[in-house]
Amino acid sequence: TVIDKNNIQLILRIVKYAKLDKNYELAISSLKKVSTKDDQMQVMIDREIFMTYIDMENYIKAIEHGQTLVNIMLENTDIEDLVLSEACYNLAICNRYKGYELYNSVVDIINSATDDKGILQKALEEADSAIEYFTVSKERFYDASSFNPDDKTSSNNAKELNKVIKQLKKLFIPAIKEKL
């Protein structure tokens, strides 16, 4: 069926039911069909795509899409602070999730006490990537708390990530380099 791209309400209804059925591909493809010249509407559609990637647990796509979305939202003075705060928070969560995936892999390699240079080199690269994800996450948590004065969780999350980043830099990476 051909959907009139301008019938946004119908598309949003399709998206709603597609997401309820966990048919995320249909939801995203439907959202991507929407064409609008209204910047506010485009931001809301992009936000819905971002949230759908999160629902799919496709954090890499969510991060790619979310980063662009947050940058657009930061430049748009019409975006409500709480909406911006929520987008920053969700982007922080995605980055933290990917960071911890890598962090846990590094911990497993360290705990395995391996001397395999290839595995150790991989751990070093994963540690560096984890730091990158954690750093972005930390920045977005701070953004989230700055746009929402009631949000105490985000700044605590950012402080927690500072500790994890230090642990990677001061303990894990030197320990791995020592074995290389």
Side-chain angles (χ1 to χ4, degrees):
T1 40
V2 176
I3 300 170
D4 177 6
K5 287 192 284 193
N6 298 320
N7 192 342
I8 292 172
Q9 292 308 317
L10 173 63
I11 292 172
L12 292 178
R13 220 170 298 133
I14 291 168
V15 169
K16 178 183 173 187
Y17 289 109
K19 286 176 81 170
L20 284 171
D21 284 345
K22 297 193 182 334
N23 187 344
Y24 300 119
E25 297 303 327
L26 174 62
I28 288 173
S29 67
S30 299
L31 287 163
K32 286 183 175 179
K33 286 178 187 168
V34 175
S35 66
T36 177
K37 296 196 183 340
D38 179 344
D39 289 346
Q40 295 298 99
M41 180 59 76
Q42 190 58 55
V43 165
M44 297 325 279
I45 288 164
D46 288 337
R47 183 172 162 267
E48 194 61 41
I49 293 171
F50 171 51
M51 297 307 290
T52 304
Y53 282 130
I54 292 172
D55 291 341
M56 292 170 77
E57 297 179 12
N58 185 338
Y59 298 112
I60 294 294
K61 281 282 203 192
I63 289 167
E64 289 168 10
H65 199 82
Q67 191 57 55
T68 305
L69 172 66
V70 166
N71 289 339
I72 290 167
M73 290 174 109
L74 286 167
E75 291 171 15
N76 186 333
T77 54
D78 296 330
I79 301 294
E80 292 176 31
D81 282 356
L82 291 179
V83 172
L84 181 52
S85 174
E86 179 197 39
C88 289
Y89 180 84
N90 285 320
L91 185 55
I93 293 290
C94 293
N95 277 281
R96 184 177 69 177
Y97 182 87
K98 292 308 292 179
Y100 270 119
E101 260 185 358
L102 293 162
Y103 173 91
N104 291 333
S105 174
V106 171
V107 169
D108 290 345
I109 291 169
I110 290 172
N111 288 340
S112 76
T114 184
D115 289 323
D116 183 308
K117 301 284 185 225
I119 293 173
L120 291 169
Q121 190 58 46
K122 178 180 174 248
L124 204 54
E125 290 162 16
E126 287 181 341
D128 287 336
S129 291
I131 290 169
E132 287 174 34
Y133 280 116
F134 286 145
T135 301
V136 172
S137 180
K138 182 180 73 169
E139 289 165 3
R140 291 302 171 215
F141 275 130
Y142 280 131
D143 287 341
S145 67
S146 72
F147 289 108
N148 180 357
D150 297 331
D151 180 0
K152 302 292 177 252
T153 311
S154 289
S155 54
N156 289 338
N157 287 341
K159 288 173 189 155
E160 196 59 44
L161 289 175
N162 268 333
K163 293 176 191 166
V164 178
I165 291 168
K166 274 188 189 142
Q167 185 181 40
L168 282 162
K169 286 181 177 176
K170 303 271 189 250
L171 293 173
F172 293 2
I173 291 175
I176 296 166
K177 282 183 176 173
E178 203 173 286
K179 285 185 136 188
L180 286 170

